[in-house]
């Protein structure tokens, strides 16, 4: 009886997972093994994805789209020079995950498949307008990050499916990224996080995507608020209006990190701060 | 649960053991091989007392399954050598050990950190060791000692 399978291809990994509903894919182990230690998960077998070469690569297409394989470690994503412009939001988020030791272990595919709403990638991927590539028994399919994250610790993955890669479009020309994370202590999960990708032209927002993490079952994005911000300059009342709209769209809970009421109060301030900083002249110079 | 044989390369030596699927590298080290330098603190990947090197990089021994470590080079604090390395010497010199439970994990994380970050700033040392908790809260001397071991001024 084989306990730990080591498939060399994604197709073989999917076949092994489909053949045994109690088998689980093993990525970096940072979450699954912790759950096994706590007796919260008792897989019958594990399918180690570490040996699937196609899951471990990052590539950049001619049009500037970057494709991050599911098994890329957080450490690698932090330092990835192929992530540029709007795509930097994912590297900035990766740099805030846990600590250097855990970043040596955890993977982008494992993290998003677990889908902790207080984790760093969900809001960043929504802000980056990312696409999640999925492989399963029925072949491959893809979903936007917004469609991928569906609820607390729940994704659109079906039984037997795994994340193959995350694809990041090049984003608008001249885009800059900012990731703010409010934590009790460095390396903790977020009380709240704000991921913004923006183009600032002549002192005003020309384009923008913004997502809030840690304040509800899935990343919070308000398209109306983004539309409102196009053309906004420093000090514009529309910044406070958009920030309030993001706060109102949050659906936080009380947990060990903060109360829901605190999160509702702090999110508009975090959003306004991130937007104000992006519009400041120093940010444009950088 | 049934066991399956696994060969682990630990401190340059191959060890063949029968191990369950859910057995972590930390458990094999401590209970199978009596290498008790790596400590079991939280067993959830939070405290860092179990830090060992996998192919030269620090990882959580408690979050690494023994079977998943099969083809990789594992280094524990016992494998650093009989003589104290610069990190160990600096920790001793600074009196940076209180109860000592976190120290082996700190040494492993700091040794890899200084290899990759020569002459780091104090702030970089703090970030480098941020995955290792000291419940005596004796961080200051640890950070200063690692900074000094890396060539920073005392």
């Amino acid at each position: 009886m084989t306990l730990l399978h080591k498939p060399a291809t994604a197709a073989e990994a999917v076949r092994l997972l489909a053949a045994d509903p109690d088998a689980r894919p093993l990525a970096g182990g940072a979450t699954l093994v912790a759950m096994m230690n706590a007796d919260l998960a008792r897989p019958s077998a594990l399918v180690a994805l570490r040996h699937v070469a196609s899951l471990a690569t990052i590539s950049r297409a001619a049009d500037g789209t970057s494709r991050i394989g599911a098994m890329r470690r957080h450490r690698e994503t932090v330092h990835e020079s192929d992530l540029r412009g709007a795509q930097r939001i994912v590297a900035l988020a990766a740099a805030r995950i846990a600590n250097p030791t855990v970043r040596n272990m955890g993977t982008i595919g494992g993290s998003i498949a677990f889908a902790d709403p207080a984790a760093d990638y969900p809001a960043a991927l929504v802000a980056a307008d990312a696409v999640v590539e999925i492989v399963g028994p029925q072949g491959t399919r893809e979903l936007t990050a917004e469609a991928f994250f569906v609820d607390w610790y729940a994704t659109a993955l079906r039984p037997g499916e795994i994340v193959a890669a995350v694809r990041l479009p090049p984003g608008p020309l001249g885009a800059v990224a900012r990731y703010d994370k409010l934590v009790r202590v460095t390396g903790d999960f977020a009380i709240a996080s704000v991921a913004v990708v923006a183009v600032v032209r002549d002192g005003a927002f020309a384009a923008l995507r913004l997502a809030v993490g840690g304040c509800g079952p899935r990343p919070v994005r308000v398209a109306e608020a983004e539309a409102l911000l196009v053309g906004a300059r420093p000090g514009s009342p529309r910044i406070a209006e958009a920030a309030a709209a993001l706060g109102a769209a949050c659906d936080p809970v009380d947990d060990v990190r903060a109360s829901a009421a605190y999160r509702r109060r702090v999110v508009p301030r975090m959003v306004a701060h991130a937007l104000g900083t992006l519009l400041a002249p120093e940010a444009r110079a950088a | 649960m049934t066991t399956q044989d696994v060969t682990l390369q630990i401190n340059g030596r191959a060890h063949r053991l029968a191990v369950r699927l859910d057995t972590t590298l930390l458990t094999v080290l401590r209970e199978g091989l009596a290498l008790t330098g790596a400590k079991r603190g939280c067993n959830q990947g939070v405290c860092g007392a179990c830090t060992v090197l996998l192919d030269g990089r620090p990882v959580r021994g408690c979050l690494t399954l023994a079977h998943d470590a099969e083809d990789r080079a594992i280094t524990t604090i016992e494998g650093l050598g009989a003589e104290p390395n610069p990190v160990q010497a600096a920790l001793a010199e600074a009196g940076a050990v209180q109860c000592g439970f976190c120290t082996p994990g700190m040494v492993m994380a700091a040794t890899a950190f200084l290899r990759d970050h020569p002459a780091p700033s104090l702030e970089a040392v703090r970030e480098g060791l941020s995955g290792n908790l000291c419940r005596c809260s004796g961080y200051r001397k640890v950070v200063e000692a690692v900074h000094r071991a890396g060539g920073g001024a005392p």
Side-chain angles (χ1 to χ4, degrees), chain A residues 34-244:
Chain A
M35 291 178 72
M36 290 167 67
N37 289 348
D39 214 13
L40 295 171
R42 276 175 238 166
S44 57
L46 291 172
V47 179
L49 303 179
R50 186 161 64 81
H51 310 273
V52 181
S54 67
L55 297 179
T57 56
I58 181 163
S59 58
R60 190 173 170 89
D63 72 350
T65 299
S66 286
R67 183 181 184 278
I68 306 174
M71 285 297 289
R72 297 294 284 183
R73 313 275 164 175
H74 308 324
R75 179 196 73 250
E76 298 172 302
T77 303
V78 170
H79 299 293
E80 189 47 68
S81 59
D82 270 354
L83 302 181
R84 301 175 202 166
Q87 299 164 345
R88 293 298 308 159
I89 192 69
V90 178
L92 294 174
R96 302 296 300 276
I97 298 172
N99 55 67
T101 304
V102 169
R103 291 198 292 271
N104 283 337
M105 305 185 71
T107 67
I108 191 166
S111 177
I112 69 171
F114 186 59
D116 185 332
D120 294 283
Y121 283 134
L125 293 184
V126 168
D129 202 9
V131 170
V132 181
E133 295 183 14
I134 295 164
V135 57
Q138 269 78 51
T140 59
R141 65 187 181 112
E142 53 187 54
L143 291 170
T144 63
E146 280 186 282
F148 179 81
F149 298 107
V150 299
D151 209 339
W152 300 94
Y153 304 98
T155 70
L157 286 175
R158 298 176 190 138
E161 287 186 330
I162 58 171
V163 175
V166 168
R167 214 166 61 228
L168 307 175
L173 201 65
V176 291
R178 183 177 177 90
Y179 183 73
D180 288 337
K181 178 180 180 182
L182 185 66
V183 287
R184 299 176 301 175
V185 62
T186 303
D188 195 6
F189 284 90
I191 293 170
S193 62
V194 176
V196 196
V197 166
V199 178
V200 179
R201 202 172 291 140
D202 302 327
F205 286 119
L208 180 130
R209 273 179 78 94
L210 187 156
V212 173
C215 287
R218 40 198 302 280
V220 176
R221 179 172 170 248
V222 180
E224 297 75 18
E226 292 171 5
L228 192 65
L229 286 165
V230 173
R233 294 176 179 283
S236 163
R238 283 186 278 162
I239 290 175
E241 207 178 318

Side-chain angles (χ1 to χ4, degrees), chain A residues 242-268:
Chain A
L246 264 305
C250 289
D251 183 20
V253 294
D254 296 328
D255 67 18
V256 65
R257 296 187 184 90
S259 67
Y262 176 80
R263 287 183 164 99
R264 282 197 200 90
R265 286 190 63 178
V266 82
V267 163

